[in-house]
Every structure is written in structure tokens, then in C-alpha cells.
Amino acid sequence: MTGDPLFADGVDWGDIGIMGIKIGVAFAALLVATMFMIWFERKLISDMQHRIGPNVAGPWGLLQALADGIKFFFKEDLRPANADPLVFRLAPYISAVTAFVAFAIVPIGGVFTDTEGRSGTVTLFGKETILQVADPPVGILLLLAMSSVAVYGVMLAGWSSGSKYPLIGSVRASAQAISYEAALGMSVVAVVIVAGSLSTQRIVSLQAGGANTWFVVTTGIVPFIVFLIAATAELNRPPFDLVEAEQELVGGFHTEYSSIRFALFFLAEFMNVITMSAIMVTLFFGGPAGPIFFGLTWLWPTVWFLAKVLAFLFVFVWFRATLPRLRYDQLMSLGWKVLIPVMLLWLMFLGLRQVVFDQESWNLAQRLVVTLGVTAVGGALGWLLLSAAMRAARRNTAQEPLDAEDLAGTPTGAAPGDVGPGRGG
Amino acid sequence: MVEVLVFAVAGAACLVGAIGVVLSRNPVHAALMLVMTLFGVAVLFVAQEAHFIAAVQVIVYAGAIVVLFLFVIMLLGVDRAAELSLGALPAQRWTAAAFGLGGAAVLVWMVAAVDRLYKGAHSYELEAAGAAAGDADAAATSYLTDVSAIARSLFSDYVYAFELTSLLLIVAVIGTVILARRSSGDDGPLDGTHGGDLQQAEGAPGTQEARR
């Protein structure tokens, strides 16, 4: 695939077969993982709240998600009279498709420390291939592209419903997604600076040398923490779930959806949780890297990968069980005034380190002094400017009377009357 | 075979999207059609192995700029076709048609010119150009991926243009913030001047109505 998007050398059934199998397997695996995740979350959160959780369908309630899915299929598909018919039908598919496509760049297995010179490839139909759907040269940028396209699903769903709560929910959601995308992108850049490549395959193979080569260590822990927070916000998971805050907005952008279309949103949400966990494992925790003990050497990396992803799924559920929801202004100030400045400073530090360590004539002391000195000066300057700006802002808001919009905490300026596409359309 | 197929599908998406932008009565539908065109162009970029440009196309244009369009359309509540048919300028249609035809003519001319360059003078001129550029240059750029090639020209060859552009954008952002605060705030500390007061007096009823 890489470097030859048009198959200039010709295409045969082997290529098509491998591609078909990969897409099929990835899709099926993601669907099964989503069903598992729904069960896992419900069971785990019940345990944390001293409840039992689903226990009727199947052993330990394992088939609960399947039962729910079947129920969704047979429910009536309602569409509000005010809704924009075309966009209303389109929105769930945008959400579901982007959730799946982002998973395509994750390497889910493959031995990267092979003595035979292979790096993460397996042989299928006599062709060497990698254990991921695609490894485009832009690699990790595809994640950012998909997460920015996913905004459309949410936004259009809210708008096309022709109803107030979904619109407010979708405006919140897209504002939140756009705000945190900056922090998310910058923490990805930190990894890219150190790895020197955008390709996930390369990023993973650079981390194959043991836990001390994982990027969570070599980029410092800061980019990982920022990524975890920004990813939680991007996923609209608690404590950043004001998008669908049940107490305020009924259900957020998908309030008017029912039946299989609602199921698609639900699916996309859980798929995104899995994809983000997988991306985090790929970027910071070595992907499928891990010790190989005995027997099936090709199976161990996948096992390690799944174990790491499971750990992150647990973390997301844990967040939901323990952290209270943020207020809208807290959310925005965390994103813009904390995460982005911290990440900018850290990027400066990483870039400096990379440049300084290329100067071969310098000794260690010189390198350290230059790196730390410039970072400290830049950080101090930035902090001064930022705190001055924040003081000015606080002074200005103290002088202005607080109006209703600020109190409501929603950024929508729309009058409640003119909501939705149906009116006069 | 694959090349023709990819070009046909992506080109069709671009064209249908472009026509849809013009013909849609509903601004939201028009914006979505624009997204379709942008995706078609992104696929064409990938077909030319300009992967980075394709990704940036999706992230920046589809992911940020059209989302901004949609925000404005939804929040201002102009998603009704009736409001669009108002404010047309007197000779707008004819001017637009003239510019459109002119643009199309330039495009056709460019395609024809490039076609002639590649077909007619293929071996001589291109090889001569390659030799003139020098082997050193070719060796320097051959190992670069498109990401590092773009980074090199942005941050070394054209660094002043790049920095000036970012300065321009920052000025635009600051200007927007100041203008926005001036017209919505009742007595913001930014405008002690008489001009600001005048503008406020004019803008006040509208903004208050909008807030209600």
C-alpha cells in the first residue's frame, strides 16, 4: 500500500483478498470489542457502585449487549416532523464510519523484534503484509483527520433534529471537540518529534526495545497525560460528558434518535473509546511490544496489545465512576489555559532537545544548559504573558455585568425560537 | 485500471459536490456538498502521492473551516432559503457569470499548456530541466518524504513569508475579538472613544433583541 496508492504495478486477487480479509477482520473485531466494552463498562461500574449489573442474558450477563442490539433493530424508527430528512439520516453513518476508519492505522500485532529481519509483518497468500488495515505515510494524521470529521456526525445530528436540546448538545459537543483537538494534536506532535515519522508502523517499531524505549518515557510523561485528558474530552466521556448531560439536556445531540440510528451513535461512541485506547497504546506504550515467552510467537504481541487496551478501557470506566462532571467554563479553561500552554512549552523543550543533541561538537553540560535554559526562559516569558492576559480578562469581566448567557454556560447565541431546519425551510 | 477508476470516482465526487454547492437552496446542504468536493480533492492528492497535503486538506478544510461555516450558519439561524434571496447586488448574476467563465477559460488554457509541455517536448525539455537543476539537488530531495520536503521549504526557504502569514492571522484574530467585544458589550473598557459609543448606539437594539 505505502507509496503506491494506485497499484501502478498492477493488482491481483492476492492484494484484494488480503485487503478484504483485513477490513472484514478489523470490522468484526471492533464490533465484538464494542459489545464486550458495553458489557465490561456496565459490569465494572456496577461493581464500583456495589450493584450486580446485567446478569440475566447469558453467563455473567455477557449477552446483554447482543440482546440490546437485537431490541434496537426491531424498534420503530422515528423521525421528528421538523427534522431535515436527508441530513438526519446521514449523521449516524458519519459517526460510525469515522469511528471505524480511525482504527485502520492501529497495528494490532506482529513481532517487531524478529531476528529474521521482519518487522511486524506476517505472510498471507505468499505476500508479506502488516497486521493493520493500512499504514499510510501520514499515519497518525489520519486519526486527527477522522476525529475532526467525526464532529460533523454530532453537529449535523443535533442540527437536523429540529429540536432545542439536541442543538444545544451538538453545539457544546463540537465546541468541546474543536477545543481539545488542539491539545490532542500537540501531544501527538510530541511523539512525532521524537519518532521522526508519522507512520504508526515506524512509531511502534521504535518502541520495540523494552519499556524504557516506550514513548511515554522518552517524551516525558507530560504528552501522555495531556493526550489522556484530551482524548477523554474528545470522546465525551465523563468527566467531560456535558455534551449529553442527562440532567440538563435529556440526552444531548441524539435525543431525537431512536431504533437503529440511535444504536449507530451508541456504537460509534464505544468504538471511539476502543480506538482511542488502542491509539494511546500505539503512541505511548509500545503497541504490541512485550516479552515473548514460548510457543506461538506471532500470538504474543496481539495478546500484549489487547491487555494494554483493556487496561485503558478500565481507566475510562474508572474515570466515569469516580469523577464528577465539569462545568462548561471549567472545561474550556482547562483546555485552553492549562493543556495547550503546557503542551506548547513541552513541545519547545522536546524540539530543543532534538536539535541540541544533533550538535555533535557540544559536550553534555553545554547541551543541558542550552536546553534547560532556553526552555526556562521561554516558559517564564509565556507564563508572564499568559497571567497578564488572564488578569486583564478577569478585570474586564469584573467590570461588565454578568448576562444570562454567561450564567447558562452555553455558547449558543441562537434565540430559542429559531432552532432547526424545519422552520420555513 | 485502478488509476482511471480512482480518478473517475474522485472527480465525479468533486464535480457533483461543486455543482451541489451552487444549486443547494439550504446553506447547510451547500456546506456539506463543499465537504464532498474537498474529500474528492483529497483523494486526488493521495493518488498523486501527496499524502500530507491530502491529510491537511481533510483536517484543515473539512475539519475546521467548513465546521466554522456550519457553526455560523446554525448559530445565526440563516438556515432558511428565504433569507438568502434578499441581499443580491444589482449586476451580481452577470458579474458572477463573467468571472466564472473567465476562470474556466484560464483553467482550460492551463491544462492545455501543461498537456502540450508534457506531450510535445517530453524528452528534451524535461531532461534538460532535470540536468540544469543539478544532481546535488536531486540527491538532496530524493530521500525526502513529502512531509519533510514541505517542512524544509516552509521553514527554511520561505520562512519569512510563512512567519508573515502567521502574523497576519494573529492580527486578524485580535481584530475580530476587539470588534466582537465592541458591538456586544454594553460599556466594555476597550472603547472609551466617541466612535465606539456611536457604533454601540446603532448596534444596541439589534443585539439586545438577539439576546432575548
Side-chain angles (χ1 to χ4, degrees):
Chain A
M1 272 302 277
T2 309
D4 185 19
L6 292 179
F7 291 102
D9 302 334
V11 56
D12 58 23
W13 288 108
D15 291 321
I16 296 175
I18 288 176
M19 214 57 225
I21 288 175
K22 276 183 179 179
I23 293 174
V25 167
F27 190 62
L30 205 51
L31 276 182
V32 172
T34 307
M35 276 174 49
F36 168 76
M37 174 65 192
I38 295 171
W39 171 82
F40 180 69
E41 170 151 22
R42 292 182 63 176
K43 209 67 182 166
L44 195 61
I45 210 153
S46 309
D47 205 41
M48 288 178 180
Q49 296 167 344
H50 298 287
R51 296 185 285 119
I52 294 174
N55 65 346
V56 174
W60 307 290
L62 259 174
L63 298 179
Q64 184 64 45
L66 191 67
D68 287 346
I70 292 171
K71 192 181 82 172
F72 271 130
F73 267 107
F74 289 108
K75 282 205 153 191
E76 189 187 355
D77 181 20
L78 295 169
R79 183 166 59 79
N82 262 356
D84 183 313
L86 200 70
V87 180
F88 188 79
R89 283 197 206 109
L90 179 70
Y93 295 108
I94 297 180
S95 280
V97 168
T98 52
F100 171 66
V101 171
F103 192 75
I105 57 164
V106 177
I108 56 170
V111 183
F112 285 85
T113 51
D114 203 327
T115 45
E116 293 159 41
R118 291 182 303 179
S119 74
T121 55
V122 293
T123 311
L124 264 184
F125 303 126
K127 283 176 192 288
E128 289 262 299
T129 188
I130 46 177
L131 276 179
Q132 69 192 81
V133 176
D135 182 31
V138 290
I140 200 69
L141 284 187
L142 195 71
L143 166 77
L144 298 181
M146 282 307 121
S147 69
S148 56
V149 172
V151 174
Y152 282 103
V154 171
M155 204 169 181
L156 293 174
W159 172 80
S160 67
S161 296
S163 169
K164 286 164 212 163
Y165 287 129
L167 185 74
I168 296 174
S170 77
V171 168
R172 276 188 187 186
S174 26
Q176 178 175 332
I178 292 169
S179 306
Y180 277 82
E181 215 156 85
L184 192 83
M186 278 196 282
S187 47
V188 170
V189 169
V191 172
V192 172
I193 284 181
V194 176
S197 171
L198 291 168
S199 150
T200 45
Q201 192 74 17
R202 174 114 184 96
I203 288 174
V204 166
S205 67
L206 283 173
Q207 302 178 80
N212 58 329
T213 59
W214 289 0
F215 283 133
V216 65
V217 178
T218 48
T219 59
I221 191 119
V222 175
F224 165 66
I225 293 173
V226 171
F227 192 95
L228 183 62
I229 297 174
T232 315
E234 195 85 349
L235 295 170
N236 302 329
R237 296 274 310 175
F240 302 106
D241 63 334
L242 358 79
V243 169
E244 45 196 285
E246 294 88 349
Q247 295 87 340
E248 306 163 22
L249 292 178
V250 187
F253 62 91
H254 50 53
T255 302
E256 300 289 353
Y257 281 87
S258 58
S259 176
I260 193 66
R261 293 185 207 289
F262 173 75
L264 278 176
F265 278 122
F266 201 64
L267 204 68
E269 217 157 280
F270 279 92
M271 261 192 196
N272 275 326
V273 176
I274 294 166
T275 305
M276 271 301 182
S277 307
I279 294 276
M280 248 184 296
V281 169
T282 305
L283 285 182
F284 296 102
F285 288 88
I292 292 164
F293 297 118
F294 52 85
L296 300 161
T297 44
W298 57 271
L299 191 64
W300 277 102
T302 308
V303 170
W304 285 119
F305 175 78
L306 290 179
K308 291 173 191 172
V309 170
L310 194 63
F312 276 107
L313 295 183
F314 177 82
V315 168
F316 280 125
V317 179
W318 198 11
F319 278 172
R320 180 178 155 192
T322 40
L323 296 173
R325 185 183 299 138
L326 268 72
R327 227 171 41 220
Y328 195 82
D329 59 321
Q330 291 170 332
L331 172 92
M332 283 296 160
S333 72
L334 176 67
W336 289 100
K337 295 177 190 166
V338 180
L339 293 187
I340 291 179
V342 164
M343 215 40 234
L344 275 174
L345 189 66
W346 201 259
L347 276 185
M348 193 171 88
F349 168 69
L350 286 176
L352 269 171
R353 196 183 68 174
Q354 212 73 5
V355 170
V356 163
F357 277 69
D358 280 348
Q359 314 292 321
E360 282 164 11
S361 59
W362 296 9
N363 62 30
L364 188 68
Q366 281 172 314
R367 290 174 175 180
L368 277 181
V369 166
V370 170
T371 313
L372 296 180
V374 176
T375 310
V377 170
L381 263 178
W383 186 78
L384 275 178
L385 285 174
L386 192 69
S387 57
M390 266 144 98
R391 212 174 307 124
R394 216 170 297 134
R395 204 177 52 231
N396 288 350
T397 43
Q399 284 175 7
E400 279 172 25
L402 215 58
D403 51 12
E405 257 172 69
D406 293 337
L407 285 176
T410 49
T412 151
D418 49 47
V419 159
R423 298 171 56 90
Chain B
M1 206 279 279
V2 182
E3 187 176 357
V4 175
L5 198 71
V6 169
F7 180 78
V9 172
C14 287
L15 278 182
V16 171
I19 294 170
V21 172
V22 182
L23 294 185
S24 294
R25 306 294 296 174
N26 187 325
V28 173
H29 292 175
L32 288 181
M33 286 298 191
L34 184 60
V35 175
M36 187 161 134
T37 304
L38 294 174
F39 266 97
V41 175
V43 171
L44 291 179
F45 275 135
V46 171
Q48 302 297 320
E49 297 196 26
H51 299 275
F52 183 71
I53 304 283
V56 168
Q57 168 98 1
V58 172
I59 294 173
V60 175
Y61 283 93
I65 292 184
V66 181
V67 166
L68 199 70
F69 288 177
L70 282 178
F71 248 121
V72 172
I73 292 170
M74 290 177 190
L75 290 187
L76 293 185
V78 290
D79 44 0
R80 269 158 285 181
E83 293 183 9
L84 284 182
S85 59
L86 294 176
L89 298 169
Q92 198 176 14
R93 270 164 204 268
W94 295 111
T95 326
F99 273 107
L101 282 178
V106 169
L107 206 63
V108 168
W109 176 76
M110 266 167 56
V111 170
V114 170
D115 199 40
R116 205 182 51 214
L117 179 73
Y118 274 80
K119 260 189 197 143
H122 178 69
S123 45
Y124 305 114
E125 282 186 24
L126 285 186
E127 271 176 25
D135 292 338
D137 233 25
T141 50
S142 63
Y143 72 92
L144 294 175
T145 60
D146 61 336
V147 180
S148 33
I150 290 167
R152 191 163 295 262
S153 50
L154 264 191
F155 292 107
S156 52
D157 298 348
Y158 301 104
V159 67
Y160 293 117
F162 180 75
E163 292 297 333
L164 278 177
T165 313
S166 42
L167 192 70
L168 189 70
L169 286 176
I170 288 186
V171 170
V173 168
I174 293 174
T176 314
V177 169
I178 289 178
L179 285 177
R181 290 204 70 84
R182 180 183 280 179
S183 56
S184 73
D186 329 20
D187 49 2
L190 283 171
D191 44 8
T193 60
H194 189 61
D197 287 343
L198 259 182
Q199 206 176 22
Q200 253 176 39
E202 278 167 6
T207 47
Q208 277 179 9
E209 207 168 74
R211 197 170 293 157
R212 249 179 253 137

